């Protein structure tokens, strides 16, 4: 009898294992490993992070940005400079490390602010609906129709004591709207579900339902949005720095390096000034996009399994 009970228990455990859906982490890993391009992109992202953040740990900002006219415009591999030097004699490899780190950090900080604001507004708008939703969405519409880039350029110009932190806040002013709309759509799809109605019936507060019940159910979509938004925010910072309205001149970034391509002489005769930063930016953007697509498929697969 005891053996029969044990066998029955084992069978039930096996059935439970077979029927239970895979965890979100396992689904994400499965989708990335299955897609060779996404796997390569993920490895590239790891290498870029090691190169920029790991390499910057061994650099001193004052020494990297110190001007030495005697070493100006060394080409590929000349005098110990692997990728040459710029017009101030600064080593391109070191500028690339610090510039890449600064651009990625700004992209991450802007994403953190935009996602936090967007999630809060999307949760409130989608959960309450009705007049609250209508008012919030009209405000979102108003912000979205504003010409973001010209306004950002004006703000960069007029703000006193401009710093990287100031740039983060300026870019964040316009970046939260798409996240708010996306989260609102997901919350609207959840607000009529049984678990939400049951929580309301049991007397749970709105805040508890929003943050403890609804938010965990849209986390996978939030992760996908975060990944894709990071790439977009790095691109915005690089664009502003490229046209001369981004980071201060003494702070390296990918945009300030690519800015050398504004001079036709540099484009033709000194490609080491702008080409490495351009390649690094492309690698970051494409890799994040491919990994983001894999995450999107993982999110869809997870929803189907649920």
């Amino acid at each position: 009898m005891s053996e029969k009970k044990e066998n029955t228990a084992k069978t039930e455990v096996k059935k439970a294992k077979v029927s239970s859906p895979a965890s979100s982490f396992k689904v994400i890993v499965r989708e990335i490993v299955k897609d060779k391009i996404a796997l390569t992109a993920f490895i590239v992202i790891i290498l870029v992070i090691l190169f920029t953040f790991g390499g910057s740990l061994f650099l001193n900002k004052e020494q990297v940005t110190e001007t030495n006219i005697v070493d100006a415009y060394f080409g590929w591999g000349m005098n110990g400079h692997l990728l040459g030097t710029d017009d101030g004699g600064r080593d391109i490899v070191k500028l690339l490390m610090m510039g890449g780190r600064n651009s990625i950090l700004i992209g991450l900080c802007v994403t953190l602010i935009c996602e936090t604001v967007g999630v809060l507004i999307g949760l409130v708008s989608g959960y309450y609906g009705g007049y609250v939703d209508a008012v919030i969405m009209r405000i979102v519409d108003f912000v979205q129709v504003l010409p973001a880039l010209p306004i950002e350029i004006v703000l960069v110009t007029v703000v006193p004591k401009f710093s990287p932190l100031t740039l983060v806040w300026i870019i964040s002013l316009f970046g939260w709207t798409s996240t708010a709309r996306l989260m609102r759509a997901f919350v609207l799809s959840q607000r009529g579900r049984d678990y939400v109605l049951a929580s309301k019936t049991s007397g749970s507060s709105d805040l508890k339902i929003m943050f403890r019940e609804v938010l965990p159910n849209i986390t996978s979509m939030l992760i996908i949005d975060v990944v894709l938004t990071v790439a977009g925010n790095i691109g915005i910072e690089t664009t502003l720095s490229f046209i001369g309205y981004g980071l201060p001149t003494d702070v390296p970034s990918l945009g300030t390096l690519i800015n050398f391509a504004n001079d036709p002489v540099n484009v033709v005769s000194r490609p080491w000034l702008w080409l490495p930063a351009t390649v690094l930016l492309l690698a970051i953007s494409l890799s994040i996009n491919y990994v983001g697509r894999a995450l999107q498929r993982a999110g869809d697969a997870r929803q189907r399994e649920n």
Side-chain angles (χ1 to χ4, degrees):
M1 287 294 287
S2 60
E3 288 182 359
K4 282 184 178 180
K5 285 182 179 178
E6 285 181 6
N7 291 333
T8 307
K10 286 179 181 178
T11 307
E12 287 178 352
V13 170
K14 284 181 180 178
K15 284 181 179 178
K17 285 182 178 178
V18 170
S19 59
S20 62
S23 67
S24 298
F25 180 74
K26 285 183 179 178
V27 175
I28 289 171
V29 171
R30 186 183 67 196
E31 287 298 326
I32 291 179
V33 172
K34 192 171 66 177
D35 186 343
K36 299 302 178 190
I37 297 178
L39 183 61
T40 306
F42 182 73
I43 294 171
V44 169
I45 291 174
I46 298 295
L47 292 177
V48 168
I49 289 173
L50 289 175
F51 174 72
T52 54
F53 286 82
S56 298
L57 293 176
F58 303 97
L59 298 177
N60 181 286
K61 183 196 167 189
E62 281 69 28
Q63 291 177 354
V64 172
T65 56
E66 187 179 9
T67 303
N68 184 6
I69 302 298
V70 178
D71 292 339
Y73 293 129
F74 282 152
W76 311 99
M78 288 178 62
N79 286 14
H81 299 285
L82 184 63
L83 297 179
T85 60
D86 67 356
D87 55 347
R90 296 172 284 257
D91 188 85
I92 294 294
V93 173
K94 295 177 181 176
L95 289 175
L96 207 57
M97 286 181 186
M98 296 199 75
R101 182 201 62 181
N102 292 336
S103 294
I104 294 172
L105 266 179
I106 287 178
L108 290 173
C109 290
V110 172
T111 303
L112 177 65
I113 295 172
C114 292
E115 292 295 325
T116 303
V117 176
V119 167
L120 289 175
I121 292 177
L123 270 174
V124 172
S125 181
Y127 180 79
Y128 288 108
Y131 290 112
V132 175
D133 180 42
V135 171
I136 291 177
M137 283 303 104
R138 294 302 75 75
I139 296 172
V140 170
D141 290 341
F142 173 74
V143 177
Q144 281 190 323
V145 298
L146 292 174
L149 190 59
I151 295 176
E152 288 168 351
I153 291 173
V154 172
L155 291 175
V156 168
T157 309
V158 300
V159 170
K161 296 182 181 178
F162 184 72
S163 68
L165 185 61
T166 312
L167 182 63
V168 168
W169 286 111
I170 290 175
I171 298 175
S172 302
L173 281 175
F174 303 93
W176 56 272
T177 53
S178 57
T179 300
R181 275 201 171 280
L182 189 68
M183 291 301 115
R184 169 190 173 263
F186 288 128
V187 174
L188 279 174
S189 69
Q190 298 288 321
R191 60 182 295 213
R193 296 285 181 93
D194 292 340
Y195 72 92
V196 175
L197 300 176
S199 296
K200 285 182 179 177
T201 306
S202 64
S204 300
S205 66
D206 291 341
L207 284 177
K208 188 176 179 182
I209 296 173
M210 280 192 282
F211 290 97
R212 289 194 179 180
E213 305 287 344
V214 178
L215 188 57
N217 280 290
I218 59 173
T219 303
S220 59
M221 298 303 163
L222 180 60
I223 292 171
I224 296 164
D225 186 54
V226 167
V227 172
L228 294 176
T229 306
V230 169
N233 289 329
I234 293 173
I236 294 173
E237 183 281 321
T238 307
T239 303
L240 287 170
S241 298
F242 173 73
I243 60 179
Y245 294 97
L247 290 172
T249 52
D250 60 335
V251 181
S253 84
L254 294 180
T256 54
L257 286 170
I258 298 173
N259 180 265
F260 282 109
N262 276 328
D263 187 342
V265 176
N266 290 336
V267 173
V268 178
S269 308
R270 302 167 187 141
W272 64 86
L273 294 174
W274 55 271
L275 190 58
T278 306
V279 171
L280 184 60
L281 178 64
L282 283 174
I284 294 171
S285 301
L286 289 175
S287 300
I288 291 177
N289 264 312
Y290 281 119
V291 172
R293 288 183 187 180
L295 290 177
Q296 201 163 15
R297 287 196 300 274
D300 295 339
R302 178 68 178 159
Q303 280 190 337
R304 285 196 300 272
E305 289 176 4
N306 284 332

